[in-house]
Amino acid sequence: MDFFQSQETLTTIEWVLRAVVAFVFLIIVAKALGQRAISQLRLLDFVIALVIGNIIAHPLSDENLGLKGSVTTTTVLVTLYLGGIFLMLKWPWFRRLVTPPPIDLVRDGEIIYKGLKKARISIDVLLEELREEKVEDVKKVALAVWEADGKISVFLNSQYNPITPANYQMVTEPFDLPKLIIKEGKLESKELKQINKDVEWVVSNLKIQYQTDITNVLLATIDKKENLKVFLYK
């Protein structure tokens, strides 16, 4: 595989192959890193993502740089990253070293300026985060905490929390996630088997309730009470 090594010139096909290999390799790396590294960029996650991006990017634009070294280096870094995650789980002192503790920003309606300085957050950023949580008044906040992943957790005083059935001791039905039985005009056979229904049942109900057939359905779900909800192509 000449495109894998450094050389004076690369043909168009070799450039394409190099890009494809790098893309597939990055997908494998992302899979190895896990969902945590993708959704929550903590310190260790941010460092590994930044370094891997730089290592892989250069061989894709410079034909004098081989892809082999980048792949090898990235593999070593991923191994070190996974080792770091293991150490974080095993040794609390290492976890504290890599992941900073939460910082209080607001307590009992009062802004903690020292906390803002420690987290390096301005008043504007704090107010923006509160607005995103639908909080218009800092005085309503019982506790706002800066988390290690850069997010701010907000807890309102009890008198400002939304009223729920539990406040009135009301009995509610247990949560039920409807089954998806049709998606983009195609039946989901596995879901049908789980609810003990067949194709004839679906076809019959679509004709009776919606005067349509399966190919016209964008999405269809059914709950445990056999209520069928259908969204047609429009």
Side-chain angles (χ1 to χ4, degrees):
M1 293 188 293
D2 293 336
F3 70 91
F4 206 67
Q5 308 291 337
S6 62
Q7 55 190 61
E8 292 299 325
T9 58
L10 289 175
T11 65
T12 302
I13 296 299
E14 287 173 334
W15 275 115
V16 170
L17 289 173
R18 179 177 281 201
V20 170
V21 170
F23 179 74
V24 173
F25 179 67
L26 282 176
I27 291 177
I28 296 172
V29 168
K31 189 73 174 177
L33 293 178
Q35 187 66 27
R36 175 181 174 274
I38 300 172
S39 63
Q40 298 179 355
L41 284 180
R42 298 173 186 263
L43 178 62
L44 194 61
D45 308 324
F46 177 76
V47 170
I48 197 71
L50 189 65
V51 173
I52 288 176
N54 273 303
I55 291 173
I56 293 296
H58 290 298
L60 295 182
S61 58
D62 189 345
E63 59 192 11
N64 292 318
L65 294 175
L67 195 58
K68 181 179 180 180
S70 295
V71 170
T72 303
T73 304
T74 301
T75 303
V76 173
L77 287 173
V78 170
T79 303
L80 292 174
Y81 171 82
L82 295 177
I85 298 299
F86 174 77
L87 292 177
M88 289 173 62
L89 295 173
K90 188 174 182 61
W91 292 327
W93 67 267
F94 185 79
R95 188 187 315 130
R96 290 191 297 269
L97 179 65
V98 176
T99 305
I103 301 173
D104 291 355
L105 304 179
V106 180
R107 183 178 290 277
D108 297 329
E110 297 294 332
I111 297 175
I112 304 174
Y113 184 64
K114 289 183 178 179
L116 291 178
K117 289 181 64 178
K118 189 175 181 180
R120 299 176 186 175
I121 292 175
S122 66
I123 290 290
D124 291 333
V125 172
L126 174 63
L127 295 177
E128 178 184 345
E129 293 285 342
L130 292 179
R131 287 194 298 270
E132 290 181 356
E133 296 292 332
K134 307 297 186 295
V135 179
E136 81 287 355
D137 187 356
V138 179
K139 293 294 183 182
K140 294 181 179 180
V141 179
L143 181 66
V145 180
W146 179 86
E147 305 290 359
D149 62 355
K151 296 179 181 178
I152 297 179
S153 301
V154 180
F155 303 91
L156 296 176
N157 283 307
S158 57
Q159 63 265 35
Y160 299 113
N161 284 320
I163 296 176
T164 65
N167 295 111
Y168 295 99
Q169 298 182 344
M170 296 172 59
V171 178
T172 58
E173 294 185 0
F175 173 75
D176 173 42
L177 182 64
K179 299 286 186 182
L180 194 157
I181 59 173
I182 302 176
K183 182 172 66 174
E184 297 177 347
K186 296 182 179 179
L187 278 172
E188 299 290 326
S189 302
K190 291 183 179 179
E191 299 290 347
L192 282 178
K193 288 181 179 180
Q194 290 180 6
I195 59 175
N196 296 319
K197 300 296 180 184
D198 54 22
V199 178
E200 288 74 17
W201 182 89
V202 176
V203 172
S204 175
N205 277 271
L206 285 176
K207 287 184 178 179
I208 295 173
Q209 298 184 40
Y210 296 92
Q211 295 76 51
T212 190
D213 56 31
I214 294 173
T215 57
N216 295 324
V217 177
L218 175 63
L219 179 70
T221 62
I222 185 172
D223 60 24
K224 63 181 181 180
K225 293 183 178 180
E226 297 190 358
N227 294 318
L228 187 64
K229 290 185 179 180
V230 174
F231 301 86
L232 300 176
Y233 281 102
K234 290 187 179 179

